[in-house]
Amino acid sequence: MSEIDSLDARILLALDDDPELTILGLSRKLGVARNTVHARLRKLSHNGVLGDFSRRVDPVALGYDLVAFVSMQISQTTQPVTATALRELPEVIEIHATSGDADLMVKVVARDTQDLHRITNAILEIDGVERTSTAISLHEAMTTRMRALLEAAAHTS
């Protein structure tokens, strides 16, 4: 993944303000040539800077009202197999390898506590999983945010 420069950050901020802006609209708003904006967006997409559009979907809209974090201790020799098996569970929406007491931190969504119980049991059945601990999110105090970082990047050049 390549670094975002000031112009890239300005383009992304403009899209954050108005996701429906066209390339021509971005060009006019930012005072940059249309071909430049088009090339920058293509580069950002190609380099993996822009994530999948599906990442913007709120799980609540799909009926998943509950968010939980499952910290996992796993057998170190099975980590790749364990992670692959976790990816097969549609309710697993993030997996992070971590330091400290947990080897993996997994973010899951569920329809309710009974559904969460089903999901955590499915996780426990995965080869290599030795122990889990689940914490239910009571309220999202702050969503993942990138705007402040983009604003800082937009002003660095």
Side-chain angles (χ1 to χ4, degrees), residues 11-138:
I11 290 169
L12 294 172
L13 285 167
L15 286 171
D16 196 44
D17 290 338
D18 185 357
E20 296 179 10
L21 272 176
T22 63
I23 290 173
L24 182 58
L26 283 166
S27 170
R28 288 180 177 158
K29 181 174 181 157
L30 300 173
V32 178
R34 184 178 55 84
N35 288 340
T36 300
V37 172
H38 186 257
R40 290 297 186 108
L41 285 171
R42 191 173 343 156
K43 178 191 81 165
L44 291 169
S45 181
H46 177 74
N47 291 342
V49 173
L50 295 176
D52 297 331
F53 189 80
S54 63
R55 293 173 76 183
R56 295 180 61 186
V57 176
D58 186 343
V60 172
L62 298 169
Y64 295 94
D65 294 330
L66 191 145
V67 174
F69 299 91
V70 182
S71 58
M72 301 174 56
Q73 291 177 340
I74 62 170
S75 169
Q76 296 302 309
T77 59
T78 64
Q79 196 274 342
V81 174
T82 304
T84 298
L86 285 167
R87 284 187 201 94
E88 292 177 11
L89 298 173
E91 298 88 357
V92 171
I93 61 172
E94 288 183 31
I95 303 171
H96 297 267
T98 58
S99 62
D101 293 335
D103 299 308
L104 296 175
M105 182 65 70
V106 179
K107 183 177 180 180
V108 301
V109 293
R111 296 186 184 282
D112 53 33
T113 54
Q114 280 189 302
D115 194 34
L116 178 61
H117 183 71
R118 175 191 61 79
I119 295 162
T120 55
N121 281 336
I123 289 171
L124 285 167
E125 291 176 9
I126 294 173
D127 283 341
V129 175
E130 295 176 353
R131 180 180 298 182
T132 67
S133 176
T134 303
I136 295 174
S137 172
L138 300 176

